[in-house]
Amino acid sequence: MHLGMVIDLKRCVGCQACTIACKAENGTPPEVLFTKVLEQVAGEYPIVKKKFIPILCNHCDDAPCVRVCPTGATTKREDGIVLVDHKKCIGCRACYVACPYKNRIFLKRGSLKNGYFGKELTPFEKVKYPKWQEGVVLKCTFCVERVDQGLDPSCVQTCPADARIFGDLSNPESKVSRLIRQRGGFQPLSEDNTEPSVYYIE
Amino acid sequence: MAKTTPLVGKEFVSGFRLQTEWATLIAAAFFFGKIGSGLFLMSLFINSWVGALVGLLIVLIGKGGAHLLYLGRPERFWRGLTKPGTSWVARGFWAMMIMMVSGTIYLFSPIGSTASSVFAVIAGISAFVVAIYDGFLMNSSPSIPLWNTAMMPVLCLFYSLLGGTTLTLFLIEFGFAEVAVETIFLSNMEIVLLLTNLIIMILYLLSMANATAAAKESLRLLVRGTFALPFYVLALGIGLVFTLLMSYFVGTHGGAGVVGLITAADLVGHYFLFYLLLRVGVYKPVLGQLTM
């Protein structure tokens, strides 16, 4: 099995529901976003084109982050999901720099103290924050806890436009494989030969 | 409206993104690693015990200290030795450890003994790796096209040798070291290395002018953008041109004061060149440029 995602750029409306769903699911601290939607504009008034590009960790098959990690904290599971073991990470940020997509986040010291509202953590933050560690690198996990239960990642489930599709890339009959085949799915920065597991279709 | 790909920060806009994580402390670690290992290599070559000791201390305290200060979890630093098979960080860490151990044994072995010769070779090889591994580290990843070039290890090697030569002259001139070669030889070697570094840097920047869009954006930031002033004044002006002119026209004849000035100028230029190369590193936009 090789889990991956297809993002339909024609369907994305840039609502950032995936961004919020990811934060709610993972309870990430301030300034930590595992996914977000970028805007891209071309042309000049009155002929203007605007595109929304959802980005997240691409869980690359030949991930530079796995290669450069000096501790083995970043690993790839058999199903292709790339994870960071926070107990092994030393915070050298070699993976952060090596990721061509800049989809890793370093959790600075003190990030977990104040939460979003300053003086003290909310009950939600008190429940969610213990799983994070300061001084290490974080990234999208494809909502591995949900995937292990047979569910889709939170961003996929939330997307109101069905712009994100999750599935098994190694199965030619899966929806993701068919979409890639039929609509010419392409990988971001394919020239870097990282073999991302996230494809875009237009 | 965006005609070209913009340089963006934290906003949710697609464009070139600046590398922000590796800056002051990593530049310091690279700097101390290069000058320390360069000094150690030069000291092996000219048989300077004090120079070798100072080189080891610069690497241990300067480079090691900067890395420890930078790490998010310094208490787990030993885990950085785990994966030398694929990681240049781990390889550099191993090289540094081997250099420290073998260098120390070399220093305290009887002069001319077998142990001294064997450990001098081991320490020399590991010092060579320490001098150039950050070039391979930066070169190994495709994420930042400015660094993703085979010229990076070459630049590191020659800056390391230049730093080593300058510090050796400084130690000699201030009476800290006695060496087996003529000072004029080292002085001429410094001029050659300064010229070589100047040529390599120009070639490196020229190669970036013909590279990918992200590399060109990095180059624009370095030579015409936010970082142009420190680049021209500190890295190029003080670090190479001033040092070259002073070394050529005055050099060691000017006495300890001039050598001290040349050393300070060289080290300032060395630090800022690599600091600026780290700071102007730019990531490519995820899906390239949007066209109409």
Side-chain angles (χ1 to χ4, degrees):
Chain A
M1 185 184 276
H2 179 189
L3 294 171
M5 190 181 287
V6 170
I7 296 174
D8 190 341
L9 296 173
K10 275 199 173 145
R11 282 177 174 259
C12 180
V13 293
C15 67
Q16 305 282 359
C18 49
T19 313
I20 302 302
C22 173
K23 284 209 76 80
E25 172 67 29
N26 292 295
T28 51
E31 298 197 15
V32 176
L33 296 168
F34 289 166
T35 186
K36 59 188 167 190
V37 183
L38 304 180
E39 280 181 16
Q40 199 174 28
V41 180
E44 278 189 47
Y45 179 83
I47 307 163
V48 182
K49 193 157 117 183
K50 191 173 194 177
K51 187 160 73 175
F52 294 107
I53 309 168
I55 57 164
L56 70 162
C57 170
N58 291 291
H59 297 271
C60 304
D61 209 20
D62 187 9
C65 55
V66 175
R67 217 166 41 231
V68 301
C69 177
T71 67
T74 301
T75 50
K76 192 157 74 77
R77 300 202 320 181
E78 279 191 8
D79 58 9
I81 297 181
V82 177
L83 296 173
V84 181
D85 183 346
H86 297 157
K87 288 177 188 155
K88 285 185 182 172
C89 180
I90 57 174
C92 69
R93 285 160 267 181
C95 56
Y96 186 111
V97 173
C99 173
Y101 312 97
K102 209 182 177 189
N103 279 333
R104 288 184 160 238
I105 303 111
F106 177 69
L107 196 56
K108 290 177 190 149
R109 292 213 173 253
S111 301
L112 298 174
K113 269 185 193 162
N114 299 323
Y116 269 92
F117 302 100
K119 288 180 182 169
E120 63 174 317
L121 300 180
T122 63
F124 175 76
E125 288 168 334
K126 280 179 188 166
V127 172
K128 292 289 190 180
Y129 283 10
K131 72 173 174 179
W132 305 120
Q133 276 192 32
E134 292 172 349
V136 301
V137 170
L138 318 176
K139 66 179 269 305
C140 156
T141 62
F142 264 166
C143 290
V144 69
E145 297 90 350
R146 290 175 60 90
V147 169
D148 285 345
Q149 292 172 48
L151 300 168
D152 279 344
S154 189
C155 56
V156 175
Q157 195 202 20
T158 302
C159 182
D162 250 349
R164 293 181 184 232
I165 306 102
F166 186 73
D168 183 5
L169 294 169
S170 62
N171 176 4
E173 294 310 313
S174 67
K175 193 176 176 186
V176 282
S177 296
R178 277 190 285 117
L179 278 169
I180 292 166
R181 206 165 49 237
Q182 289 164 2
R183 292 184 51 195
F186 60 93
Q187 294 161 310
L189 301 178
S190 54
E191 70 272 20
D192 287 343
N193 297 317
T194 59
E195 290 295 325
S197 301
V198 174
Y199 286 73
Y200 291 87
I201 52 174
E202 279 188 303
Chain B
M1 289 301 141
K3 275 184 181 173
T4 54
T5 311
L7 182 68
V8 295
K10 286 185 178 175
E11 59 268 40
F12 287 15
V13 177
S14 177
F16 293 119
R17 285 172 188 269
L18 269 178
Q19 183 286 121
T20 50
E21 285 301 312
W22 282 3
T24 317
L25 282 171
I26 288 292
F30 286 178
F31 167 75
F32 286 121
K34 279 197 285 291
I35 62 165
S37 55
L39 177 60
F40 186 82
L41 282 170
M42 283 303 297
S43 304
L44 285 183
F45 179 60
I46 59 172
N47 283 324
S48 166
W49 193 90
V50 174
L53 177 67
V54 174
L56 282 181
L57 290 175
I58 289 173
V59 174
L60 180 67
I61 298 166
K63 183 176 174 62
H67 276 309
L68 280 178
L69 284 173
Y70 177 75
L71 288 182
R73 308 294 298 208
E75 74 278 11
R76 299 176 190 161
F77 80 95
W78 55 272
R79 283 190 182 273
L81 291 162
T82 317
K83 276 185 67 191
T86 58
S87 165
W88 273 104
V89 174
R91 286 170 195 161
F93 194 4
W94 269 106
M96 196 178 140
M97 297 281 282
I98 295 168
M99 181 187 166
M100 287 303 121
V101 174
S102 54
T104 308
I105 297 172
Y106 156 73
L107 284 176
F108 294 101
S109 301
I111 297 166
S113 64
T114 315
S116 170
S117 307
V118 169
F119 283 104
V121 171
I122 296 171
I125 293 168
S126 51
F128 180 78
V129 177
V130 171
I132 61 164
Y133 92 92
D134 37 355
F136 284 105
L137 172 63
M138 291 167 81
N139 168 37
S140 65
S141 163
S143 59
I144 295 171
L146 180 76
W147 307 343
N148 189 216
T149 160
M151 291 196 74
M152 204 42 101
V154 181
L155 196 65
C156 287
L157 174 65
F158 280 97
Y159 260 92
S160 173
L161 292 176
L162 174 64
T165 311
T166 312
L167 283 175
T168 306
L169 275 170
F170 177 85
L171 290 176
I172 295 166
E173 211 57 43
F174 280 81
F176 294 118
E178 286 179 10
V179 296
V181 295
E182 294 284 332
T183 313
I184 191 72
F185 170 77
L186 289 174
S187 191
N188 287 339
M189 188 170 163
E190 188 182 23
I191 293 168
V192 171
L193 283 169
L194 278 164
L195 269 173
T196 312
N197 279 1
L198 191 61
I199 292 166
I200 291 173
M201 197 170 78
I202 290 167
L203 286 176
Y204 169 62
L205 296 180
L206 282 175
S207 71
M208 287 302 123
N210 297 306
T212 61
K216 283 180 186 164
E217 179 64 16
S218 291
L219 187 64
R220 187 193 66 77
L221 287 169
L222 190 66
V223 299
R224 281 186 285 137
T226 331
F227 301 97
L229 187 66
F231 173 68
Y232 288 120
V233 175
L234 298 170
L236 197 61
I238 294 178
L240 287 175
V241 179
F242 173 78
T243 318
L244 184 59
L245 292 175
M246 286 294 282
S247 302
Y248 187 76
F249 289 110
V250 189
T252 47
H253 304 299
V258 171
V259 173
L261 190 64
I262 291 172
T263 307
D266 175 53
L267 297 183
V268 165
H270 183 157
Y271 175 80
F272 276 99
L273 176 70
F274 285 89
Y275 170 75
L276 291 169
L277 288 180
L278 288 176
R279 288 299 307 272
V280 299
V282 163
Y283 294 91
K284 294 167 271 191
V286 179
L287 290 188
Q289 194 177 341
L290 181 63
T291 51
M292 291 301 292

